[in-house]
Amino acid sequence: MKKSYLSCGLSFIGIGLVILVAAIIFETRLQSLLYSFAGAFIGPGAVMAGKYFYWTTPKNAERYREKLDNESIEIHDERNEVLRNKAGRYAYLLSLLIISISMVVFSILGTLEIIENTRIIIIYLGGLFLFQIVSLFVFHRHLKKNY
């Protein structure tokens, strides 16, 4: 396993600790968010460092090589590539459907005055909807030129 994996993990832990210290020292409305970010950096950093130490021990070296070979086969297998592409397409279509339904639901909730200020939510979701459709055409055109 590369040393960069360990250094990245330690960097995450360091950033998380800096954010944690800032959350402890400063009283702010964003304090809970700072604690969340601290945990979001420290947790994965600790996992990355732990994985590095686990896989670099001599007793796990052979298992790590086998794991890398299996991952390489899984990543480059044509069947898996087709399945990943289909899964991505289905996820994309599902997200478009959810965004559309959410716009209608927030519109109804705003009209019934159950939630106030729904207009900004609807505008945001509409923008996201348009962004996804435009990005589909841009990526498709780009990939079509390259292949």
Side-chain angles (χ1 to χ4, degrees):
M1 186 169 269
K2 296 180 181 178
K3 282 256 188 202
S4 63
Y5 199 75
L6 174 64
S7 61
C8 185
L10 294 178
S11 299
F12 273 39
I13 292 172
I15 292 169
L17 290 175
V18 168
I19 295 172
L20 181 64
V21 169
I24 292 171
I25 292 175
F26 300 112
E27 287 287 326
T28 179
R29 290 183 183 181
L30 300 176
Q31 195 166 11
S32 62
L33 188 61
L34 290 175
Y35 283 121
S36 300
F37 278 129
F41 277 98
I42 293 172
V47 169
M48 290 172 76
K51 279 185 178 182
Y52 175 80
F53 289 121
Y54 177 78
W55 288 115
T56 56
T57 57
K59 69 177 185 174
N60 293 325
E62 184 62 33
R63 284 184 43 219
Y64 182 66
R65 275 189 227 100
E66 290 175 16
K67 180 182 178 219
L68 285 180
D69 290 340
N70 289 337
E71 284 179 359
S72 176
I73 291 170
E74 287 291 321
I75 288 172
H76 299 296
D77 183 42
E78 290 178 18
R79 179 177 176 267
N80 285 337
E81 286 182 16
V82 170
L83 292 176
R84 275 193 303 270
N85 289 339
K86 281 191 173 196
R89 177 173 166 72
Y90 294 151
Y92 170 77
L93 293 173
L94 181 63
S95 70
L96 287 180
L97 178 68
I98 290 172
I99 290 171
S100 301
I101 292 171
S102 298
M103 288 173 64
V104 172
V105 168
F106 280 112
S107 197
I108 292 170
L109 291 175
T111 303
L112 296 175
E113 296 179 359
I114 295 173
I115 298 177
E116 294 180 14
N117 300 326
T118 57
R119 186 168 188 205
I120 188 122
I121 296 170
I122 295 168
I123 291 171
Y124 174 77
L125 289 173
L128 179 60
F129 186 83
L130 289 175
F131 173 77
Q132 283 193 321
I133 291 174
V134 169
S135 65
L136 170 72
F137 290 118
V138 169
F139 289 139
H140 184 265
R141 182 173 291 161
H142 176 72
L143 291 172
K144 199 172 180 181
K145 283 181 184 177
N146 288 344
Y147 292 105

